[in-house]
């Protein structure tokens, strides 16, 4: 096996460490917890529910409206009717009346149908916004989850780094006490030991910060043990062009922008309703007693067609229609810009994925070479062929190499999820179907 093959085998062996641990908290559980509790996701879902009710309001125009009015009170009347009946001055009676009216719109310039289409498109846009928000929160929770694991591993490396310096310090101290080591060596290793302690303190601080960020995104503190997630290489697209095509087809941000265009188009058509007459069918039944100064029962029934057609209102209707023409063009411009942003996001994510993949094998090679050099220097120092400074420097280089390789491993896993998010496929990869992502409510 050649050197290059050995390096790749080592890299793949390191990546297989990203596998779930039985009984541990999983990444999928963290994502679902975040989606169920994150205020940003909940706000987008409530916005979607509100738009669902706006759709129902628009569809109410297809149904008749029924009104009942009733009244009772004192009425004073002085009219030709009361005077003809022999009354002088005002006649005072207790007036009682009720009216039941049903009104059905027969034609309103297609306002109802277009407003219903507009509200349905807005509901669809809100659905895609929920999906987009959920995906962004899911990606943030994935990063928070990985950062906790990364920080825990960095703490373990820092502890090993401190332990190595402690061993070297103990050896130099014993040599110094027996007169076999110089005072300068003891002071040097003492300073490096103090620096290793601060390195551990910094790593522990970073872990505390990562746990706090996890709490902010997921909604609860991380629970141990946390399973290291498997890589998602099997779900990655074959290439950048495939990723771009999937993003243009499935990304919720772009789909929301397309729905906004449909809503703007329907709104423009709805604004043209004022160019047509409005026709209603009206049926009414009224009951009254002691009305207008005349005693007795008064009943009336009517069934009518009512029409209304505005002839002139200062050009406001034409201006409103042109306004919504520009609103439609604006929505199309926003959609086109969104398409560019989605493609840019996919390309940036793919670039990060390729970069971390390429770096990984070299960082692994550096870590292995640094470990071998450190071990060799320690052996040579013990027989007097290397200085203490050589040993301390190689120990530091090995620590930095391990730290860089650990970061690269987690960066690569996050880059994979970032590519999936750029395509709009992240939640599906997490086992969350599109039906689970949207808000269950009537969309028509």
């Amino acid at each position: 096996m050649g050197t290059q093959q050995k390096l790749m085998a080592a890299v793949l062996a390191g990546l297989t460490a990203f596998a779930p641990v039985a009984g541990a908290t999983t990444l999928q559980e963290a994502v679902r917890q975040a989606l169920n509790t994150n205020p940003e996701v909940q706000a987008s879902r409530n916005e979607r529910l509100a738009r669902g009710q706006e759709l129902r309001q628009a569809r109410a125009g297809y149904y008749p409206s029924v009104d009942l009015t009733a009244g009772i009170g004192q009425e004073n009347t002085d009219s030709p009717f009361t005077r003809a009946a022999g009354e002088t001055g005002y006649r005072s009676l207790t007036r009682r009346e009720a009216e039941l009216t049903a009104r059905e719109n027969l034609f309103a310039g297609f306002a109802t149908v277009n407003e219903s289409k507009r509200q349905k498109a807005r509901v669809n846009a809100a659905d895609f916004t929920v999906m987009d928000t959920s995906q962004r929160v899911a990606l943030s929770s994935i990063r928070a989850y990985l950062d906790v694991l990364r920080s825990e591993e960095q703490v373990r490396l820092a502890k090993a780094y401190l332990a190595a310096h402690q061993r070297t310090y103990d050896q130099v101290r014993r040599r110094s006490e027996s007169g076999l080591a110089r005072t300068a060596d003891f002071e040097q290793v003492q300073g490096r030991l103090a620096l290793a302690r601060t390195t551990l303190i910094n790593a522990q601080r970073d872990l505390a910060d990562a746990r706090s960020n996890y709490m902010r995104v997921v909604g609860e503190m991380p629970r141990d043990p946390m399973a290291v997630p498997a890589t998602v290489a099997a779900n990655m697209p074959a290439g950048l062009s495939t990723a771009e095509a999937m993003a243009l087809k499935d990304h919720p941000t772009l789909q929301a922008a397309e729905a906004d265009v449909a809503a703007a188009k329907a709104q423009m058509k709805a604004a043209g309703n004022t160019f047509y007459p409005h026709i209603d069918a009206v049926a009414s039944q009224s009951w009254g007693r002691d009305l207008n100064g005349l005693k007795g029962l008064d009943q009336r029934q009517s069934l009518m067609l009512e029409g209304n057609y505005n002839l002139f209102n200062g050009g406001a209707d034409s201006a409103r229609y042109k306004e919504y023409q520009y609103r439609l063009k604006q929505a199309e411009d926003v959609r086109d810009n969104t398409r560019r942003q989605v493609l840019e996001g996919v390309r940036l994510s793919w670039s990060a994925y390729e970069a971390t993949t390429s770096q990984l094998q070299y960082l692994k090679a550096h870590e292995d070479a640094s470990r071998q050099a450190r071990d060799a220097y320690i052996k040579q120092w013990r027989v007097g062929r290397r200085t203490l400074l050589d040993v301390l420097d190689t120990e530091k280089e090995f620590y930095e190499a391990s730290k860089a390789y650990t970061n690269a491993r987690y960066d690569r896993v996050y880059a994979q999820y970032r590519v999936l998010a750029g395509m709009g496929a992240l939640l599906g990869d997490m086992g969350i179907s599109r039906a689970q992502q949207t808000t269950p409510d009537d969309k028509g």
Side-chain angles (χ1 to χ4, degrees):
M1 183 181 290
T3 303
Q4 185 72 12
Q5 292 174 314
K6 291 180 180 179
L7 289 174
M8 287 306 299
V11 171
L12 292 174
L15 294 178
T16 57
F18 285 83
V21 179
T25 301
T26 65
L27 180 60
Q28 286 78 6
E29 291 173 348
V31 169
R32 289 181 181 275
Q33 170 69 15
L35 296 183
N36 289 333
T37 62
N38 188 277
E40 191 175 357
V41 175
Q42 300 307 314
S44 66
R45 287 176 177 169
N46 284 319
E47 171 65 18
R48 159 62 181 85
L49 291 171
R51 291 193 182 185
Q53 298 307 310
E54 289 179 323
L55 173 58
R56 292 186 176 185
Q57 293 173 48
R59 287 176 172 172
Y62 290 121
Y63 299 93
S65 64
V66 181
D67 296 294
L68 174 64
T69 59
I72 184 171
Q74 195 72 20
E75 181 183 58
N76 298 322
T77 307
D78 182 6
S79 70
F81 295 103
T82 59
R83 289 193 293 272
E87 298 287 341
T88 59
Y90 286 99
R91 187 177 191 185
S92 180
L93 297 174
T94 300
R95 180 185 180 108
R96 301 175 180 87
E97 61 183 344
E99 183 176 16
L100 183 65
T101 304
R103 179 181 295 271
E104 172 73 19
N105 177 257
L106 302 180
F107 183 71
F110 311 103
T112 301
V113 63
N114 286 315
E115 178 63 14
S116 296
K117 288 181 179 179
R118 182 177 83 90
Q119 294 298 345
K120 184 176 180 180
R122 292 183 74 243
V123 167
N124 291 336
D127 262 333
F128 290 125
T129 300
V130 171
M131 293 166 57
D132 181 55
T133 304
S134 299
Q135 181 168 261
R136 287 189 289 104
V137 170
L139 187 61
S140 296
S141 62
I142 289 171
R143 181 160 198 166
Y145 188 98
L146 294 175
D147 283 347
V148 172
L149 292 176
R150 180 205 310 264
S151 297
E152 288 178 343
E153 193 161 342
Q154 296 292 5
V155 168
R156 288 193 290 271
L157 290 175
K159 287 181 177 179
Y161 183 54
L162 176 59
H165 278 77
Q166 186 66 55
R167 288 192 299 270
T168 304
Y169 171 82
D170 292 340
Q171 294 176 21
V172 173
R173 180 173 54 80
R174 287 194 296 270
R175 288 188 178 190
S176 179
E177 290 173 352
S178 61
L180 298 177
R182 294 172 297 180
T183 303
D185 286 345
F186 181 71
E187 293 174 346
Q188 189 174 59
V189 73
Q190 195 173 29
R192 291 293 184 95
L193 179 62
L195 189 59
R197 288 197 176 100
T198 64
T199 298
L200 175 59
I201 292 172
N202 289 336
Q204 291 171 332
R205 178 206 62 200
D206 291 341
L207 174 58
D209 291 347
R211 291 174 65 86
S212 296
N213 184 61
Y214 183 97
M215 172 66 186
R216 179 185 65 83
V217 177
V218 178
E220 65 178 16
M221 292 299 289
R223 294 177 284 110
D224 295 328
M226 294 175 64
V228 179
T231 59
V232 290
N235 300 328
M236 293 292 290
L240 176 58
S241 59
T242 303
E244 290 176 334
M246 293 182 66
L248 292 177
K249 177 177 177 290
D250 295 330
H251 200 286
T253 301
L254 186 53
Q255 290 176 314
E258 292 284 4
D260 286 337
V261 170
K265 186 176 296 183
Q267 187 175 40
M268 180 191 70
K269 292 180 178 179
N273 79 90
T274 53
F275 301 137
Y276 299 91
H278 290 199
I279 301 174
D280 296 329
V282 183
S284 67
Q285 169 73 58
S286 64
W287 300 268
R289 183 172 293 278
D290 300 341
L291 307 181
N292 303 317
L294 300 177
K295 293 184 65 64
L297 179 64
D298 187 317
Q299 296 188 72
R300 300 181 186 185
Q301 295 179 341
S302 67
L303 179 61
M304 303 178 62
L305 286 178
E306 293 184 359
N308 178 56
Y309 188 29
N310 176 260
L311 299 179
F312 181 72
N313 68 347
D317 295 337
S318 297
R320 184 179 299 107
Y321 188 77
K322 289 180 181 179
E323 173 195 349
Y324 289 122
Q325 285 181 321
Y326 290 120
R327 298 291 185 195
L328 173 58
K329 292 180 180 179
Q330 179 188 28
E332 292 172 341
D333 292 335
V334 171
R335 177 203 57 196
D336 294 342
N337 187 56
T338 300
R339 182 181 291 116
R340 294 185 181 185
Q341 291 176 336
V342 166
L343 290 176
E344 179 190 29
V346 172
R347 294 182 187 121
L348 292 174
S349 300
W350 186 263
S351 177
Y353 166 67
E354 286 189 323
T356 53
T357 301
S358 300
Q359 292 171 353
L360 205 57
Q361 58 178 315
Y362 301 112
L363 291 172
K364 177 60 178 174
H366 182 212
E367 183 192 42
D368 291 341
S370 299
R371 181 190 294 107
Q372 295 169 4
R374 180 203 62 177
D375 294 344
Y377 274 42
I378 290 175
K379 292 178 181 178
Q380 293 171 9
W381 171 63
R382 288 171 180 168
V383 297
R385 294 178 56 191
R386 290 289 178 180
T387 66
L388 176 63
L389 182 60
D390 292 335
V391 172
L392 295 175
D393 286 346
T394 55
E395 190 69 61
K396 181 179 180 181
E397 183 176 358
F398 172 62
Y399 168 71
E400 295 294 342
S402 299
K403 183 178 178 181
Y405 177 60
T406 297
N407 284 333
R409 284 166 47 222
Y410 284 98
D411 286 344
R412 183 176 186 273
V413 175
Y414 176 70
Q416 291 175 321
Y417 283 110
R418 186 179 164 193
V419 170
L420 294 177
M423 299 188 302
L426 177 60
L427 294 180
D429 180 80
M430 303 299 294
I432 303 173
S433 66
R434 174 162 292 196
Q436 292 173 310
Q437 298 169 35
T438 56
T439 302
D441 192 20
D442 176 38
K443 290 196 300 182

